Amino acid sequence: MAIWQYLLIVVPEKSIDNNYQCIFKNNKTEFLPETNSFWKNFEGDIPSIISELDQIIPKANWGNETYLNWKGNGSSDEDNDACICLSDDTTKIEEFQFRIDLRKASNITTVLHAILNLCKKNQFVLIDLKGEIFKPQMQYIMESLKSSNAMKFIADPIQFFENLEN
């Protein structure tokens, strides 16, 4: 993950319950917690979701039938990406996340908005790296985005690295 990317995890809104606290708030590892339990009862149209993502971010040239990846053009400050992991029989989503390159405003106004629309349509919510849950609307995400490490780096890279030393 590049420092200028803002990551959001996608899960079905109906799956958020008391288990959320156990999975995210109590995660003591250095890694993102697994979210496959959130997808257990999701009955949405997976091919439609994949097709819509294909229209937002170009499909990457790696992955396979169960590990789907999308990747924007990093050399033109469009380092947006997404990943969906499917069950072995490809009938269930197990993980879904995306990252937005904050170096270019059009990534927010175009790519992020398009993904938020996909999420609204499918009744998904978003979870940031701090474990905060957001409805897929820009007004709810903005505070998290503004306080993210990605935005701090973009605003002042030298200060960002000096703060890491402390």
Side-chain angles (χ1 to χ4, degrees):
M1 179 167 145
I3 189 62
W4 50 78
Q5 290 178 314
Y6 174 70
L7 181 136
L8 287 168
I9 299 165
V10 180
V11 297
E13 184 173 21
K14 292 180 182 178
S15 70
I16 299 294
D17 59 15
N18 293 335
N19 289 331
Y20 164 79
Q21 294 296 331
C22 296
I23 293 172
F24 280 88
K25 296 292 185 186
N26 298 326
N27 181 27
K28 304 293 185 218
T29 71
E30 296 177 23
F31 305 101
L32 293 172
E34 292 184 10
T35 58
N36 55 347
S37 63
F38 290 106
W39 293 96
K40 196 172 6 180
N41 298 316
F42 179 69
E43 299 295 330
D45 184 357
I46 295 170
S48 175
I49 293 166
I50 292 168
S51 177
E52 193 164 343
L53 265 174
D54 287 341
Q55 303 305 310
I56 300 169
I57 304 173
K59 190 71 108 350
N61 61 357
W62 62 85
N64 56 41
E65 294 176 343
T66 60
Y67 187 67
L68 307 169
N69 297 276
W70 293 263
K71 185 69 173 171
N73 185 350
S75 63
S76 61
D77 293 347
E78 296 172 354
D79 195 12
N80 308 296
D81 58 43
C83 174
I84 293 179
C85 296
L86 301 174
S87 59
D88 288 339
D89 64 3
T90 70
T91 62
K92 293 281 186 187
I93 294 176
E94 294 183 343
E95 303 279 337
F96 180 2
Q97 63 184 20
F98 65 91
R99 298 181 294 198
I100 300 298
D101 184 341
L102 299 182
R103 296 176 295 173
K104 194 173 186 181
S106 63
N107 293 324
I108 297 169
T109 59
T110 305
V111 179
L112 180 56
H113 274 278
I115 294 174
L116 293 179
N117 287 334
L118 179 148
C119 291
K120 277 186 235 175
K121 188 185 326 179
N122 290 282
Q123 299 176 341
F124 297 151
V125 292
L126 306 164
I127 305 171
D128 70 6
L129 288 176
K130 296 174 187 164
E132 298 297 321
I133 301 172
F134 304 97
K135 291 194 177 290
Q137 296 174 8
M138 190 59 77
Q139 68 216 43
Y140 299 119
I141 296 171
M142 282 310 292
E143 193 61 37
S144 168
L145 192 147
K146 287 178 184 177
S147 67
S148 70
N149 282 339
M151 191 60 79
K152 290 175 186 172
F153 172 79
I154 290 168
D156 190 343
I158 294 170
Q159 184 65 48
F160 175 81
F161 286 113
E162 286 175 353
N163 288 343
L164 286 179
E165 289 178 358
N166 302 328

